[in-house]
Amino acid sequence: MEQLVFDDFLKVDMRVGRILSAEPLPKARIPAYKLTIDFGELGVRKSSARVTNLYAAAELPGRQVIAVVNFPPKRIAGFLSEVLVLGLDGEGGGVLLAPEREVALGQRVY
């Protein structure tokens, strides 16, 4: 595995956001949701997330998540994903990464 220096890590801007809405992304080859996420002072951003196996769309609004906010936007199944929501490959599907307690929206991961 390639080793990074700390300055490389600091280039990746990971922030805490709150999911405002989640709905199916119908054109996705692998089932996914379109998420609208509030990052506080950074504003509201959109993302796609392949977490349909473990989460119903109705249970996602209100959850805090961690996302990379400084990657360029990427078009996925006709949808412009502006941030990369982080997760783990868990048993049964994608598991969202989240703070273990409530924190301020937009707070940076360090």
Side-chain angles (χ1 to χ4, degrees), residues 39-103:
F39 290 96
E41 290 185 8
L42 295 175
V44 174
R45 310 270 178 95
K46 307 268 186 195
S47 185
S48 67
R50 296 187 304 193
V51 295
T52 59
N53 286 351
L54 294 180
Y55 302 94
E59 72 182 89
L60 291 172
R63 284 182 168 267
Q64 287 194 322
V65 292
I66 297 172
V68 176
V69 298
N70 66 333
F71 285 159
K74 182 175 183 176
R75 192 157 298 281
I76 299 170
F79 173 73
L80 189 63
S81 185
E82 300 170 306
V83 300
L84 175 65
V85 173
L86 299 177
L88 302 166
D89 198 10
E91 201 171 305
V95 177
L96 294 168
L97 280 184
E100 58 97 18
R101 63 185 63 168
E102 284 285 315
V103 296

